Amino acid sequence: MEQDTGILIKQINDVLVSNMNNDLKSKGLTLSQVRFLSYLNKSPVPVPFKELESHFHVSQPTVVGIINRLLEKGFISISLDEKDRRVKKAAITTTGKTECEYGEKRRIETEEFLVRRLTTEQKQQLNSLLKAVYDNLINS
């Protein structure tokens, strides 16, 4: 019996997230935290919380929860915007960069494992189709 596409995508995501979280547990990280660290690592300036909400399509409480856990671990620092002191910004620390490198390495290895039996053309097709599905969802 053919499986519902949405369920299959969810099952793939669940296995990937579970495997990554188990892998990152020794570093005290989750995949969500690695994604935040990676985004902060690529930014030359501190990133406003609102930008994180927008980029990751998550709520303000979710951003605050992830940020607080990263802050507790010393992986990021928080500052206030000079022009509007109500705006909080996050920046990665040196320790955070080290953990980010490990997490990114593991994320890339996991993604390579995911598509290891696909040809280059199949990988491109898969990415193209997944982008089209995503675009359908956010532009409906």
Side-chain angles (χ1 to χ4, degrees):
M1 184 187 279
E2 197 169 313
Q3 206 165 18
D4 180 33
T5 303
I7 290 173
L8 187 56
I9 290 170
K10 170 94 170 84
Q11 289 172 334
I12 291 167
N13 180 68
D14 290 349
V15 170
L16 285 172
V17 170
S18 177
N19 288 349
M20 280 296 300
N21 285 340
N22 285 336
D23 218 21
L24 295 167
K25 191 181 283 188
S26 66
K27 295 285 189 176
L29 285 169
T30 66
L31 181 56
S32 294
Q33 291 169 352
V34 167
R35 287 181 176 146
F36 270 59
L37 287 175
S38 180
Y39 188 79
L40 294 173
N41 194 37
K42 292 174 185 163
S43 178
V45 295
V47 177
F49 285 20
K50 283 284 185 200
E51 183 178 327
L52 294 169
E53 288 174 39
S54 175
H55 178 77
F56 290 103
H57 304 284
V58 294
S59 68
Q60 187 263 345
T62 299
V63 168
V64 169
I66 292 170
I67 290 293
N68 283 341
R69 285 185 284 287
L70 291 171
L71 185 63
E72 288 170 7
K73 297 170 186 175
F75 298 160
I76 64 165
S77 62
I78 303 290
S79 62
L80 299 177
D81 188 272
E82 293 176 10
K83 295 178 183 171
D84 186 348
R85 309 276 298 156
R86 296 171 296 176
V87 176
K88 291 182 179 180
K89 296 180 175 185
I92 194 164
T93 63
T94 303
T95 304
K97 286 180 188 253
T98 301
E99 300 307 321
C100 178
E101 289 171 12
Y102 173 82
E104 272 298 292
K105 180 179 179 241
R106 294 299 304 130
R107 186 193 61 75
I108 290 167
E109 289 170 355
T110 299
E111 186 158 321
E112 288 171 353
F113 181 78
L114 173 71
V115 295
R116 73 190 181 283
R117 293 191 178 123
L118 300 180
T119 66
T120 300
E121 183 179 317
Q122 288 172 324
K123 291 174 192 176
Q124 291 169 344
Q125 284 178 316
L126 177 62
N127 280 340
S128 178
L129 291 169
L130 289 173
K131 286 177 186 175
V133 169
Y134 180 74
D135 288 344
N136 285 338
L137 289 172
I138 64 169
N139 294 319
S140 57

